[in-house]
Amino acid sequence: MTTLIANEFRKLRTIRGPWLLLAAGPVLVIVGVAGEVAGGADVTQPQTAIHAVAHAGVMSLLTLIFGITAVAGEYRHKTITDTYLATPRRGRVIAAKFAVYAAFAAIGVSLGALIRNLAAAIATALAWIALVEGLIGELISDLEAWLPFAGGQALSRLPGAPPTFPNGPVDCWTPATRSSSPR
């Protein structure tokens, strides 16, 4: 298994696509934060910090695409054949990809393994985020916090900041949403 993981790291080192994708993330975050500052936002206010950190949510999209390209990209370029010939047990190959492409990218690895067409896998992931999670959030608001993209947004939130969802910030302590026990 360690050889498979080492091979996945070697693939990442030798192709430029993942590096360009991962380099785009910090650039987009920096541009978003710079836009906040250039727009005259008061940097001493906590709300400004919340908006600035929200730009980190773009990173979750890029890591999702990064994970999709781990498998679907190999199908697209027909390199998956060599991978499976070297290791016929496909479960071990996917497990090695999970180990290398950790966190939110692991969902992308799963999606790339299920949908082998790179463009279709990315379109499906974006449609899930834009449509399915949005509709579920509108219809069953209690379930929204447990969906993958909302979970990724929660990871990028500052401690003490209200959760953000497609409908905007939600105050968990308003009388309409207050539960009997603290969260």
Side-chain angles (χ1 to χ4, degrees):
M1 190 66 175
T2 57
T3 305
L4 290 173
I5 292 172
N7 288 341
E8 286 299 318
F9 277 119
R10 190 173 299 116
K11 286 178 192 176
L12 283 176
R13 267 196 340 261
T14 57
I15 55 178
R16 71 177 158 246
W19 294 105
L20 294 173
L21 188 64
L22 291 177
V27 169
L28 290 173
V29 171
I30 290 169
V31 168
V33 171
E36 290 279 334
V37 173
D42 185 8
V43 294
T44 62
Q45 297 297 319
Q47 192 66 23
T48 304
I50 291 170
H51 284 284
V53 172
H55 288 95
V58 172
M59 290 296 292
S60 64
L61 285 176
L62 294 178
T63 57
L64 177 67
I65 294 171
F66 180 62
I68 290 171
T69 59
V71 181
E74 283 199 47
Y75 278 104
R76 179 175 184 236
H77 296 292
K78 309 275 192 265
T79 57
I80 197 75
T81 305
D82 296 332
T83 303
Y84 287 147
L85 285 174
T87 307
R89 296 175 69 188
R90 294 179 182 212
R92 297 187 81 177
V93 171
I94 298 299
K97 288 182 183 296
F98 271 127
V100 172
Y101 299 87
F104 205 65
I107 296 172
V109 169
S110 302
L111 196 57
L114 291 174
I115 304 172
R116 296 175 180 178
N117 183 317
L118 181 61
I122 292 172
T124 302
L126 295 177
W128 172 269
I129 292 167
L131 297 174
V132 176
E133 286 201 15
L135 288 173
I136 290 174
E138 289 293 322
L139 297 174
I140 311 169
S141 60
D142 293 339
L143 184 62
E144 183 177 29
W146 300 100
L147 296 173
F149 192 69
Q153 286 179 329
L155 289 174
S156 68
R157 219 175 40 239
L158 288 175
T164 56
F165 296 99
N167 297 338
V170 176
D171 183 6
C172 296
W173 300 107
T174 60
T177 59
R178 187 178 302 147
S179 64
S180 59
S181 62
R183 295 180 187 188

